[in-house]
């Protein structure tokens, strides 16, 4: 991607209430950002510190209380809405897909509606955003798409079965999109990370990573033109375990 005059498009997190935020960054400076979900806030602050501007979007843009941003209506689970947003924010060169929903649904006994919600957000929502914005990025001379994945795209947990399955699908989507978009000068990268200290997993008691540190790692990786960004030791360990197969990732079955 271009190192000077950074222009960014970033869409955020769909929570269990169905709200979806979109952040769009480009090279006209803007100064302020209201408090919001911390991983989003830290990514925004990191980008702003590097000269970015923020547009904020939601299903209901009137709900956005972020001084200095431009409201933009979008629902990432609606391809028509994503396409309309891309027509408004047509100068982007970087798309960061960080949409997420964690229902905790079991694949066997859980609600199919919850499972669909996981896939509609992580897989189809990401795909809709890429289909809408990749042509814009290409027409602007090329750039980068970063999908925020998870260590759970590589290893499953009984307590997050639907999430793991949907994130694994998003990882496969990331790899496929990388091949399809390479000749358009659109680089597709993935960020793998363990538990971040966010509202989405506030109920989980495991050690969590500082979101400001992860934001810096993510943006540094983008500017280094990395295809795969491993944000923590857990992700690096699990990646190595992939070569070992089931016995390495799930020793309880040995």
């Amino acid at each position: 991607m271009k190192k000077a005059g950074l222009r960014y498009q970033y869409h955020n997190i769909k929570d269990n209430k169905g709200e979806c935020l979109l952040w769009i960054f480009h090279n006209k400076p803007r100064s302020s950002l209201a408090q919001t979900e911390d991983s989003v806030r830290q990514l925004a602050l990191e980008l702003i510190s590097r000269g970015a501007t923020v547009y904020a979007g939601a299903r209901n843009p009137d709900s956005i209380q972020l001084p200095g941003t431009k409201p933009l209506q979008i629902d990432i689970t609606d391809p028509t809405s994503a396409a309309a947003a891309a027509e408004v924010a047509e100068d982007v060169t970087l798309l960061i897909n960080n949409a997420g929903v964690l229902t905790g649904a079991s694949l066997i006994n859980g609600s199919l509606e919850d499972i669909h919600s996981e896939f509609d957000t992580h897989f189809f929502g990401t795909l809709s955003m890429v289909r809408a914005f990749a042509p814009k990025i290409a027409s602007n001379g090329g750039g980068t798409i970063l999908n925020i994945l998870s260590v759970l795209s590589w290893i499953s947990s009984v307590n997050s079965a639907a999430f793991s399955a949907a994130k694994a699908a998003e990882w496969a989507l990331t790899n496929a999109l990388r091949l399809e978009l390479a000749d358009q000068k659109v680089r597709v990268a993935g960020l793998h990370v363990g538990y971040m200290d966010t509202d989405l997993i506030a109920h989980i008691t495991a050690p969590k990573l500082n979101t400001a540190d992860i934001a810096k790692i993510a943006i540094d990786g983008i500017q280094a033109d990395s295809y795969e960004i491993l944000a923590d030791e857990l992700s690096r360990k699990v990646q190595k375990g992939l070569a070992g197969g089931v016995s390495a990732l799930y020793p309880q079955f040995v």
Side-chain angles (χ1 to χ4, degrees), residues 10 12-13 15 21 23 25 33-47 66 98 195-202 208-216:
Y10 172 72
N12 176 33
I13 190 166
D15 62 21
L21 300 178
W23 310 101
F25 305 88
L33 179 71
Q35 294 288 323
T36 183
E37 206 275 346
D38 196 53
S39 66
V40 177
R41 185 175 67 88
Q42 294 300 335
L43 274 165
L45 290 174
E46 185 63 32
L47 288 166
L66 299 171
N98 188 39
Y195 291 130
M196 290 192 290
D197 191 10
T198 68
D199 294 342
L200 189 67
I201 59 167
K208 298 169 187 175
L209 302 163
N210 182 280
T211 53
D213 293 340
I214 300 304
K216 186 177 187 305

Side-chain angles (χ1 to χ4, degrees), residues 217-239:
I217 290 168
I219 306 308
D220 283 348
I222 290 169
Q223 291 199 289
D225 287 337
S226 300
Y227 284 111
E228 196 164 59
I229 305 166
L230 305 185
D232 62 335
E233 185 56 35
L234 176 60
S235 296
R236 288 186 282 272
K237 181 178 179 180
V238 173
Q239 185 198 49

Side-chain angles (χ1 to χ4, degrees), residues 88-207:
V88 176
E90 60 183 358
D91 63 341
V92 300
T93 57
L94 169 62
L95 169 69
I96 303 181
N97 287 308
N98 188 39
V101 58
L102 178 61
T103 66
S106 160
L107 293 175
I108 301 302
N109 301 313
S111 159
L112 279 176
E113 182 179 357
D114 284 346
I115 295 168
H116 277 291
S117 176
E118 299 265 13
F119 278 85
D120 285 344
T121 302
H122 297 127
F123 184 87
F124 291 107
T126 297
L127 179 59
S128 291
M129 291 297 291
V130 172
R131 287 167 65 101
F133 280 93
K136 303 299 183 185
I137 295 173
S139 68
N140 289 327
T144 299
I145 295 169
L146 177 68
N147 293 332
I148 307 291
L149 302 171
S150 167
V151 71
L152 293 177
S153 61
W154 286 336
I155 189 169
S156 295
S157 164
V158 134
N159 296 321
S160 56
F163 180 87
S164 296
K167 279 296 185 181
E170 188 182 3
W171 176 45
L173 174 67
T174 299
N175 292 331
L177 290 170
R178 183 179 300 124
L179 295 173
E180 286 205 34
L181 293 173
D183 62 356
Q184 300 179 42
K185 297 183 180 179
V186 178
R187 177 182 296 267
V188 181
L191 172 74
H192 290 270
V193 60
Y195 291 130
M196 290 192 290
D197 191 10
T198 68
D199 294 342
L200 189 67
I201 59 167
H203 61 288
I204 295 176
T205 58

